[in-house]
Amino acid sequence: MAQIEQSDKGGKKKKGAQKKMAIHVDFTPMVDMNMLLITFFMLCTTMIKSQTLQITLPTNEKVEQQDMNKAKQSEAITLIVDTQRDENGNIKKDDEGKPVNIVYFFEGQPQLVDDNNDGVLENSNLSKEVFLGNDGSVQRGIRKILHDRNKQVLAKIDDLKVKWRAKELSPNKDKNDSIYQAMAKEIRNDSTLTRPVVVIKATPEASWESLISALDEMQINQISRYQIDNINHTDSMMIEAYNRTH
């Protein structure tokens, strides 16, 4: 509050002299009011939401994990991811600056053959591919191999996607999405369809990126039965024999 204090010092004053007054302003109530206003706005105002990227998190869907020894040989496929490195252990890159990640794969049980009967294993059922995206609607690289092995599931899910996009499952968006996810899960786990069992392994030189790329291919190709396993001596011998003859 403002207070006006009249100066009235002792002594006689000249006739007609103006009286001097001192004004004292107390800011304490104003400070209290400002603090209350700041507290009010802090509690009631909606803060600006930060702009962040949308990240697709892994699904919480329970994945079938099946031992390869219990899988049918016609369904089993093993992927062995590897990363090419130089003599210093640095990752090699291609002309586009991307790491050179490769995938060795074989179907069914591993097969090693000694063609010359000299004790040196020279042939196997191992093949080699790379990670490539689609060329338009055409799959390439290891994606094509997995796509062809799971084509029955993918065909049914593609038909389901047409109904989902047209909102034939439900006119409500959230319900339409929920029904689609439930029906797609049933298709992926349909035991009447031909579905691969994929075993993913990694060489000691493989990078984390190569392993993650293999897991991404499981999601892209709607493969529900896969597991990560350790590379063994037979796998290493197959890779050595392949690189020696190719």
Side-chain angles (χ1 to χ4, degrees):
M1 297 177 64
Q3 298 178 353
I4 301 176
E5 298 178 356
Q6 183 175 347
S7 178
D8 187 14
K9 294 183 179 180
K12 295 181 179 181
K13 296 181 179 180
K14 295 181 180 179
K15 188 176 181 181
Q18 295 181 351
K19 296 181 180 180
K20 294 182 179 181
M21 292 179 292
I23 301 176
H24 173 71
V25 180
D26 186 5
F27 285 97
T28 303
M30 184 177 294
V31 173
D32 293 341
M33 181 184 67
N34 288 336
M35 293 302 299
L36 290 173
L37 288 174
I38 291 172
T39 305
F40 172 78
F41 287 124
M42 287 178 61
L43 296 176
C44 299
T45 303
T46 301
M47 299 298 178
I48 298 175
K49 295 182 179 179
S50 60
Q51 299 296 326
T52 57
L53 294 174
Q54 293 293 331
I55 300 176
T56 302
L57 299 176
T59 177
N60 60 354
E61 178 181 331
K62 185 177 180 181
V63 177
E64 293 184 41
Q65 294 201 358
Q66 184 170 348
D67 191 351
M68 184 178 171
N69 295 328
K70 299 179 181 178
K72 296 180 181 179
Q73 185 170 346
S74 59
E75 297 178 346
I77 178 171
T78 301
L79 308 183
I80 306 175
V81 296
D82 190 22
T83 302
Q84 293 187 357
R85 299 177 183 268
D86 58 22
E87 59 276 5
N88 297 322
N90 299 319
I91 297 175
K92 292 183 179 180
K93 296 186 178 180
D94 57 19
D95 297 337
E96 298 179 357
K98 297 180 180 179
V100 182
N101 295 318
I102 56 180
V103 185
Y104 299 98
F105 70 95
F106 62 89
E107 300 179 358
Q109 295 291 336
Q111 299 175 5
L112 282 168
V113 181
D114 182 4
D115 292 334
N116 299 324
N117 295 322
D118 56 0
V120 179
L121 301 174
E122 300 175 348
N123 196 9
S124 67
N125 59 338
L126 194 69
S127 300
K128 181 180 177 181
E129 272 294 352
V130 294
F131 293 105
L132 290 174
N134 291 359
D135 183 5
S137 59
V138 179
Q139 295 79 23
R140 300 182 298 169
I142 193 63
R143 183 173 300 178
K144 176 174 173 53
I145 304 298
L146 297 172
H147 180 275
D148 293 343
R149 295 299 302 269
N150 204 36
K151 58 185 179 181
Q152 290 188 5
V153 171
L154 291 170
K156 284 185 170 292
I157 290 182
D158 287 342
D159 293 339
L160 180 62
K161 283 182 179 179
V162 174
K163 298 180 180 179
W164 169 67
R165 292 191 183 100
K167 292 187 177 181
E168 294 182 10
L169 305 177
S170 174
N172 181 272
K173 181 181 181 303
D174 293 338
K175 190 173 182 180
N176 186 60
D177 295 345
S178 178
I179 295 175
Y180 166 77
Q181 294 295 341
M183 295 182 68
K185 180 180 178 181
E186 291 180 1
I187 294 173
R188 286 192 292 268
N189 296 325
D190 188 352
S191 59
T192 63
L193 301 177
T194 301
R195 301 175 299 153
V197 178
V198 182
V199 179
I200 303 172
K201 301 182 180 183
T203 66
E205 292 78 20
S207 63
W208 280 106
E209 181 183 359
S210 62
L211 183 59
I212 293 173
S213 296
L215 295 175
D216 287 342
E217 293 298 332
M218 301 300 106
Q219 301 298 322
I220 293 171
N221 290 283
Q222 304 288 339
I223 296 175
S224 62
R225 300 190 296 175
Y226 64 90
Q227 68 177 24
I228 299 176
D229 201 356
N230 295 323
I231 190 171
N232 54 39
H233 181 63
T234 302
D235 300 327
S236 300
M237 292 178 63
M238 291 176 66
I239 293 175
E240 182 180 351
Y242 181 90
N243 291 330
R244 189 169 54 246
T245 56
H246 290 78

